[in-house]
Amino acid sequence: MTVELTAAQTRFLRGQAHGLKAMLQVGGKGVTDALVAEIDGALDHHELIKVKVGAADREERDALIGGLVERTGAALVQRIGHVAVLYRPNREKRQIVLPRG
């Protein structure tokens, strides 16, 4: 179940993510179960994270980011170069209040 965002919500989240540093890095092993578990935990705690993808070419980066989005159920807010911003609201206690659409 992926999160659907409107253009206004995406703009808002990009602004919120501007000052964040990349928390996790996808290495040569790609998207492993351990990495997905770490990203799940980070999304549960922070809701909005940056992930650095260390793939050489653009197609491979897109595939890795797509795999992360699919396996975590997060929304891809932004992708610039090697860095992707992911968002998934916490089910129990939301920290980020999104604008209405």
Side-chain angles (χ1 to χ4, degrees), residues 24-32 35 39 51-56 60-61 64 68 82:
L24 298 164
Q25 183 168 351
V26 180
K29 293 183 181 179
V31 180
T32 63
L35 177 70
I39 291 175
V51 178
K52 188 169 185 178
V53 180
E60 189 177 350
R61 280 194 306 264
L64 289 173
L68 283 176
H82 292 271

Side-chain angles (χ1 to χ4, degrees), residues 2-96:
T2 59
V3 179
E4 297 294 325
L5 298 172
T6 65
Q9 291 170 337
T10 302
R11 233 181 355 264
F12 173 77
L13 289 171
R14 281 197 322 253
Q16 294 290 312
H18 181 72
L20 297 178
K21 301 279 186 203
M23 295 183 84
L24 298 164
Q25 183 168 351
V26 180
K29 293 183 181 179
V31 180
T32 63
D33 291 336
L35 177 70
V36 171
E38 284 293 321
I39 291 175
D40 273 334
L43 284 168
D44 283 342
H45 189 262
H46 298 284
E47 293 185 330
L48 185 69
I49 63 169
K50 282 186 179 179
V51 178
K52 188 169 185 178
V53 180
D57 63 343
R58 180 177 286 210
E59 290 82 23
E60 189 177 350
R61 280 194 306 264
D62 288 343
L64 289 173
I65 292 169
L68 283 176
V69 168
E70 182 180 317
R71 290 182 67 181
T72 60
L76 178 63
V77 175
Q78 185 177 31
R79 180 189 161 282
I80 298 178
H82 292 271
V83 179
V85 178
L86 302 178
Y87 169 75
R88 187 180 70 198
N90 191 322
R91 291 179 182 91
E92 288 106 33
K93 185 176 80 172
R94 285 191 174 187
Q95 297 172 351
I96 300 173

